[in-house]
């Protein structure tokens, strides 16, 4: 073995593999492609309906990884080429999904089809062709915490048993059917159960990833600049948009919900370990988050306001936030997860992985990117007279 051969966590050489990455053109996919191309010799068959976020990896042809990434513009809902690509690959990673909460209650059918029905052939082709699958699920699978059903001042609310989310222990607690917010979590839950059953009954080699609010550059879109004016992206892009436009940040139902945010680059390290350590990752469900970065949404808004003022040099508003009801912001049928702290025992034991970046540091690099990428375009969009 040459001294430069990369080895896995057990000291075995890592062989170059072909990876079919579905949803490669999205936020997580673009970072994963970047990392795979710049630090490994694996080849990527990148599948998506869009490629704007990976254009810099596809062109020009003089790039050092030329030939190791091929883009296939395929809608997995209806394209017979998908099975061929999965057959060509050693590993399939499925990231494709509708995964913005504004869609869950307003487009529940599209949400359920995207997260369950459209993922079915991917699971089937992997199982039938004995191909390994890494499937992206979500922390939303846990729904609400057990503690959220206790009175606000109940002492057990402080007991970690009542709020820490553990892959092999915690229940999935969703609201009633008329709260269509849970259409996404429920579809993701059922596809997880199906994958698990394929593993148990047919020997499918799988890993399920439950991301806990991964954030960073290239997440979603800025409405009216590189996405629809009326579109509602996830919170990082909503708040970035408000800051870029000099508007108050909107706190849904007072911004009391809590989240743990993790820097995309830390999270990608965890996925790389899964890819290159199949013996440790197969058959596992992994939480991937940063339990040390917990804030309420209100605290996130305050921190983003402070960081943005620092990186842009622009003073913050006197009243930087404004309250808005969830019905007004998301429409009928919205509901929310109260708190999301990942238990890290399993990923720590199997892969020895831990997140590194503090919330302040990740916001500083992300908001620097947002300012550099969008400030000028937002100024122009504001200056443009709107057609009546
Ligand atoms: N970002 C997070 O914090 C987070 C949290 C929980 C779960 N996840 C899961 O991780 C995965 C990726 O999330 P993301 O944040 O990168 O989202 P994203 O929306 O940026 O990426 C999803 C990609 O899938 C593509 N896609 C969707 N439907 C498709 C289809 N029918 N055919 C081909 N391509 C299709 C989209 O065009 C998009 O590029 C999703 O499954 C999501 O549910 C992400
Ligand atoms: O302008 C805004 C936008 C949102 N909020 C509130 O922030 C909380 C987080 O919202 P968001 O990041 O958009 O989404 P969620 O965390 O609720 O759900 C995601 O988690 C993982 C994933 O599966 C994929 O990313 C997705 O479902 C929330 O409480 C909003 O109400 C706000 O106050 N103002």
């Amino acid at each position: 073995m040459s001294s430069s051969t990369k080895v896995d966590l057990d000291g075995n050489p890592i062989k170059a593999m072909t990876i079919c990455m579905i949803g490669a053109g999205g936020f997580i996919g673009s970072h994963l492609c970047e990392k795979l191309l710049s630090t490994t010799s694996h080849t990527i068959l990148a599948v998506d309906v869009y490629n704007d976020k990976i254009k810099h990896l596809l062109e020009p042809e003089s790039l050092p990884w030329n030939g190791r990434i091929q883009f296939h513009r395929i809608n997995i809902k209806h394209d017979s080429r998908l099975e061929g690509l999965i057959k060509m690959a050693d590993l399939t990673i499925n990231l494709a999904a509708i995964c913005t909460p504004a869609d869950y209650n307003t487009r529940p059918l599209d949400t359920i089809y995207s997260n369950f029905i459209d993922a079915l052939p991917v699971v089937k082709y992997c199982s039938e062709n004995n191909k390994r699958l890494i499937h992206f699920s979500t922390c939303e699978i846990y729904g609400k915490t057990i503690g959220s059903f206790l009175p606000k001042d109940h002492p057990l609310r402080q007991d970690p048993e009542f709020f820490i989310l553990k892959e092999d222990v915690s229940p999935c607690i969703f609201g009633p059917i008329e709260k269509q917010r849970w259409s996404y979590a429920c579809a993701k839950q059922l596809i997880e159960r199906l994958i698990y059953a394929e593993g148990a009954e047919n020997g499918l080699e799988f890993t399920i990833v439950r991301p806990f609010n991964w954030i960073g550059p290239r997440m979603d879109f800025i409405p009216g600049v590189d996405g629809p004016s009326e579109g509602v992206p996830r919170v990082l892009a909503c708040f970035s948009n408000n800051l870029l436009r000099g508007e108050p940040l909107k706190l849904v139902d007072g911004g009391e919900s809590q989240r743990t945010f993790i820097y995309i680059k830390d999270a990608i390290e965890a996925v790389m370990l899964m890819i290159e350590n199949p013996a440790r990752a197969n058959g596992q469900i992994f939480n991937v988050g940063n339990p040390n970065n917990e804030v309420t949404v209100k605290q996130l808004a305050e921190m983003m306001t402070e960081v943005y003022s620092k990186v842009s040099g622009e003073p913050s508003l006197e009243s930087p936030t404004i309250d808005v009801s969830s019905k007004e912001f998301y429409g009928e049928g919205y509901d929310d997860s109260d708190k999301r702290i990942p238990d890290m025992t399993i990923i720590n034991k199997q892969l020895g992985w831990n997140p590194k970046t503090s919330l302040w540091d990740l916001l500083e690099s992300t908001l620097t990117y947002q300012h550099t990428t969008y400030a000028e375009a937002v100024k122009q969009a504001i200056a443009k007279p709107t057609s009546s």
Side-chain angles (χ1 to χ4, degrees):
M1 201 191 321
S2 88
S3 61
S4 63
T5 308
K6 247 182 101 185
V7 293
D8 67 16
L9 292 171
D10 298 305
N12 303 309
I14 298 168
K15 288 199 201 106
M17 56 185 120
T18 299
I19 299 171
C20 173
M21 196 189 300
I22 307 167
F27 162 57
I28 296 176
S30 71
H31 286 273
L32 189 52
C33 285
E34 234 168 43
K35 185 78 180 178
L36 283 164
L37 292 172
S38 60
T39 66
T40 76
S41 50
H42 306 314
T43 296
I44 306 170
L45 308 175
V47 174
D48 207 304
V49 280
Y50 303 113
N51 67 10
D52 316 38
K53 294 184 185 185
I54 52 170
K55 270 236 161 80
H56 62 295
L57 302 173
L58 302 171
E59 304 160 352
E61 282 179 4
S62 58
L63 286 167
W65 47 75
N66 181 28
R68 285 205 291 119
I69 180 162
Q70 278 174 22
F71 178 67
H72 299 264
R73 195 177 299 279
I74 285 178
N75 185 335
I76 62 163
K77 276 184 191 298
H78 41 67
D79 201 304
S80 56
R81 287 172 292 172
L82 182 63
E83 184 171 14
L85 292 173
I86 290 176
K87 276 186 180 168
M88 275 166 67
D90 304 293
L91 162 68
T92 293
I93 301 179
N94 190 8
L95 294 148
I98 287 177
C99 53
T100 36
D103 292 318
Y104 307 162
N105 57 314
T106 56
R107 299 169 57 205
L109 284 177
D110 287 342
T111 300
I112 294 167
Y113 270 77
S114 170
N115 284 283
F116 180 65
I117 308 283
D118 300 346
L120 283 175
V122 178
V123 180
K124 181 171 158 252
Y125 298 148
C126 287
S127 190
E128 287 174 357
N129 295 290
N130 297 316
K131 299 291 182 177
R132 197 178 156 217
L133 170 67
I134 297 183
H135 183 84
F136 272 71
S137 180
T138 175
C139 56
E140 280 213 16
I141 211 93
Y142 296 107
K144 295 170 187 259
T145 64
I146 308 173
S148 70
F149 294 90
L150 294 169
K152 278 244 172 325
D153 53 356
H154 198 289
L156 284 178
R157 274 198 164 218
Q158 306 310 317
D159 182 340
E161 289 294 312
F162 285 72
F163 61 80
I164 298 277
L165 304 170
K166 297 186 183 174
E167 297 93 328
D168 53 349
V169 174
S170 302
C172 303
I173 309 175
F174 306 148
I177 302 300
E178 66 185 31
K179 294 286 184 196
Q180 297 206 74
R181 156 62 186 252
W182 303 109
S183 59
Y184 166 79
C186 194
K188 286 280 202 200
Q189 182 191 168
L190 191 53
I191 198 75
E192 275 203 27
R193 291 192 185 276
L194 186 108
I195 292 167
Y196 195 89
E198 279 290 349
E201 291 189 30
N202 294 327
L204 172 69
E205 292 185 342
F206 73 86
T207 303
I208 290 170
V209 186
R210 292 182 180 165
F212 279 65
N213 293 77
W214 300 8
I215 61 175
R218 295 196 291 271
M219 185 168 196
D220 298 336
F221 58 91
I222 296 299
V225 176
D226 55 2
S229 310
E230 300 309 314
V232 180
R234 286 169 285 189
V235 69
L236 174 83
C238 283
F239 285 174
S240 300
N241 182 38
N242 299 142
L243 290 166
L244 285 155
R245 290 174 189 272
E247 300 167 342
L249 281 58
K250 292 182 178 154
L251 299 179
V252 172
D253 294 338
E256 282 178 14
S257 296
Q258 290 165 289
R259 296 287 187 272
T260 50
F261 292 94
I262 178 173
Y263 192 34
I264 181 72
K265 292 188 194 296
D266 285 359
I268 290 293
E269 296 285 349
V271 182
M272 294 297 291
L273 286 166
M274 293 173 207
I275 294 172
E276 296 191 326
N277 290 276
R280 288 168 178 254
N282 283 348
Q284 300 289 341
I285 300 177
F286 289 121
N287 286 343
V288 181
N290 188 336
N292 304 318
N293 282 349
E294 191 189 29
V295 280
T296 63
V297 173
K298 186 170 192 285
Q299 287 166 333
L300 174 74
E302 288 162 357
M303 201 186 276
M304 283 182 67
T305 303
E306 199 182 334
V307 173
Y308 189 71
S309 176
K310 184 179 166 207
V311 303
S312 67
E314 287 161 21
S316 38
L317 297 177
E318 216 165 280
S319 308
T321 60
I322 184 172
D323 284 354
V324 52
S325 75
S326 53
K327 193 167 172 197
E328 203 184 318
F329 193 79
Y330 287 114
E332 202 70 64
Y334 181 75
D335 199 358
D336 207 355
S337 302
D338 53 304
K339 187 174 173 76
R340 291 181 183 157
I341 302 193
D343 182 83
M344 305 300 290
T345 313
I346 295 182
I347 193 157
N348 220 266
K349 174 168 167 264
Q350 294 299 117
L351 302 173
W353 174 86
N354 274 306
K356 301 186 202 96
T357 314
S358 70
L359 187 56
W360 179 276
D361 287 353
L362 79 85
L363 287 177
E364 199 164 305
S365 56
T366 305
L367 291 181
T368 301
Y369 171 89
Q370 302 288 58
H371 183 65
T372 316
T373 311
Y374 291 111
E376 203 41 55
V378 166
K379 249 187 226 152
Q380 284 176 20
I382 293 171
K384 223 192 290 171
T386 48
S387 52
S388 52

